[in-house]
Amino acid sequence: MAQIDSAQLRVSLPGKLLIWSVILLWCFLPPNSSAEQEPNQSLVDSSQWRGANTQEDSERSWQATRLSQFGKRTIIEQQGIIKIQAPSRAENDAIVPVSIKLSRPPGFETINKVYLVVDVNPMPTAGVFTINPKKSLEEIDTRVRVNGYTYIRAIAETSEGILYLDKQWVKSRGAGCSAPPDIDQEEHLKRLGKMRFRLDDAADDSRLVQLMISHPNNTGMQKNQLSLLYIPTHYINEVEVWLGEEKLLHADTTFSISENPSFRFRLDDDETAELTAIAKDTEGNVFMHSQTTGSNLQ
C-alpha cells in the first residue's frame, strides 16, 4: 500500500485560519443569502418574514388572492359602500379587532356577500359572509390573526355582481398564526363549541348582536408549550345565524379568525324572534345555541 507522506497532511497556520474562517462563515450565513435576495411572496412562505412586509409585498400577496377569489373582475375602491376599521398597530397579533361598515349600494342593489382578507396570512381569506338581502346588515365585526405588516381588506359583492373594496394597513410582530393558545387544549375541549349571544342597545335604535363561540381555532402552526409539539389544525369553518325562520348570515371561515371566534352585527330594535346559531368545525363537530332576542342575553 502506498505510504502517504505526513508532510502532505500538514497545513500551514495561515491555511488553517483560512479554512476555519470559511467554515464559520458558511455556518452562520442564512440559507440562500444574497445581497439581491427578496422576500418570498408565496402565501405560505410570507409568514417566515415575521412582519417585515412592505405595502408592496402585501399588494403582491393580494394579487394572488384576488385572482383565485375573483378572477379578472373589476374591484372598485370606495368607502361609500364598505368601510373597514382596524388598529394601525396590533396590540395582540392573535386577536386583532376588525369592524366592517356597510351602506346600501345605489339603485335597487343589495350587498349579498362580504369577503375579509388578511393579505400575508397563510390562509388570507379569513371569512366570506353571505348576508340575507332582506335584512341588509349594516355592520359585521370580528377578530382576526395577523401574521405580519399587512393590509386587511373588506370586499362587498352586490346583487348585480359589482365589487367594492376598502383596506386598512396594520403593523404587527408577525406571530398571529403561531402564537400559543391562551389556555391549554384540555381546557378548550371542556368548553368546545359553547356559544352565547349578547345584545346591546345602540344609539340609532338598533341592537348590536354578538355571537361568541368557545373554540381554539388552532392553525397547525402553534406549539404545545409543554410538549413543544405542533398542535393539529382544528378550527370553526362554518357559522349560521338565524332569526326565527330567516337566515341572517352564513359565514365560511378559516383559522385566520382568532381563537374563540366572535361575530357582531346589527338588528332592528323591534326584532323579537328567536336567535339561533349553528357552527361547524373541521373535525365534523356541529354546535347549536338558541335564545330569544327579548331575553337578557348579557
Side-chain angles (χ1 to χ4, degrees):
M1 182 180 294
Q3 295 290 325
I4 299 176
D5 190 341
S6 59
Q8 293 178 286
L9 299 177
R10 291 195 210 98
V11 180
S12 65
L13 181 59
K16 289 180 180 179
L17 291 175
L18 177 61
I19 292 170
W20 279 108
S21 297
V22 172
I23 291 172
L24 289 172
L25 181 62
W26 180 83
C27 288
F28 286 99
L29 274 176
N32 300 321
S33 176
S34 168
E36 299 179 355
Q37 184 186 8
E38 294 183 357
N40 184 333
Q41 291 306 311
S42 73
L43 297 181
V44 174
D45 293 342
S46 63
S47 61
Q48 297 175 4
W49 292 86
R50 298 190 60 80
N53 301 294
T54 66
Q55 293 181 356
E56 289 76 17
D57 295 331
S58 189
E59 289 289 351
R60 282 194 288 269
S61 293
W62 158 241
Q63 291 307 316
T65 304
R66 173 178 176 163
L67 186 62
S68 65
Q69 194 82 64
F70 305 107
K72 297 182 179 180
R73 296 166 63 186
T74 298
I75 300 179
I76 303 167
E77 290 199 30
Q78 185 182 112
Q79 292 185 342
I81 304 298
I82 188 165
K83 182 173 178 58
I84 188 167
Q85 294 177 316
S88 58
R89 184 175 292 277
E91 292 185 10
N92 183 337
D93 297 2
I95 309 175
V96 179
V98 173
S99 180
I100 302 169
K101 302 290 195 302
L102 304 170
S103 300
R104 183 178 289 276
F108 296 99
E109 287 186 87
T110 57
I111 295 177
N112 287 4
K113 285 186 178 181
V114 174
Y115 301 79
L116 178 59
V117 175
V118 185
D119 285 352
V120 305
N121 278 13
M123 295 185 77
T125 303
V128 180
F129 303 89
T130 303
I131 298 169
N132 184 336
K134 297 178 183 178
K135 296 299 179 183
S136 298
L137 298 182
E138 297 178 354
E139 181 176 345
I140 301 173
D141 302 335
T142 188
R143 302 176 305 195
V144 297
R145 293 181 164 104
V146 176
N147 221 47
Y149 284 26
T150 185
Y151 281 116
I152 301 180
R153 301 172 194 264
I155 303 96
E157 182 174 3
T158 73
S159 52
E160 297 296 320
I162 299 174
L163 299 170
Y164 296 95
L165 176 148
D166 189 31
K167 62 188 179 183
Q168 170 70 49
W169 179 247
V170 176
K171 297 178 181 179
S172 80
R173 292 182 298 275
C177 293
S178 58
D182 280 345
I183 61 176
D184 64 41
Q185 295 302 291
E186 289 186 4
E187 287 298 316
H188 264 307
L189 290 175
K190 291 177 184 178
R191 296 162 29 186
L192 189 70
K194 291 186 181 297
M195 294 187 282
R196 68 187 183 99
F197 285 110
R198 173 183 173 134
L199 264 67
D200 291 304
D201 292 330
D204 59 356
D205 294 329
S206 65
R207 281 195 284 180
L208 291 171
V209 179
Q210 185 176 10
L211 170 64
M212 292 165 279
I213 307 172
S214 181
H215 201 285
N217 256 29
N218 293 324
T219 67
M221 304 174 199
Q222 302 156 292
K223 285 187 177 181
N224 183 303
Q225 296 302 288
L226 296 177
S227 68
L228 299 182
L229 298 176
Y230 283 102
I231 302 168
T233 304
H234 182 202
Y235 58 88
I236 294 288
N237 60 357
E238 192 173 348
V239 177
E240 288 184 354
V241 179
W242 293 72
L243 182 66
E245 300 297 318
E246 285 195 279
K247 187 191 296 185
L248 289 178
L249 186 71
H250 178 102
D252 295 299
T253 57
T254 70
F255 63 62
S256 284
I257 298 292
S258 71
E259 177 181 359
N260 296 323
S262 170
F263 305 96
R264 191 171 72 164
F265 49 92
R266 289 180 185 270
L267 279 181
D268 291 336
D269 196 41
D270 58 356
E271 302 275 19
T272 57
E274 185 176 59
L275 276 167
T276 300
I278 304 169
K280 302 177 183 178
D281 71 15
T282 52
E283 292 189 0
N285 297 308
V286 179
F287 314 104
M288 183 180 292
H289 175 69
S290 296
Q291 195 160 350
T292 61
T293 58
S295 303
N296 179 9
L297 304 179
Q298 300 290 336

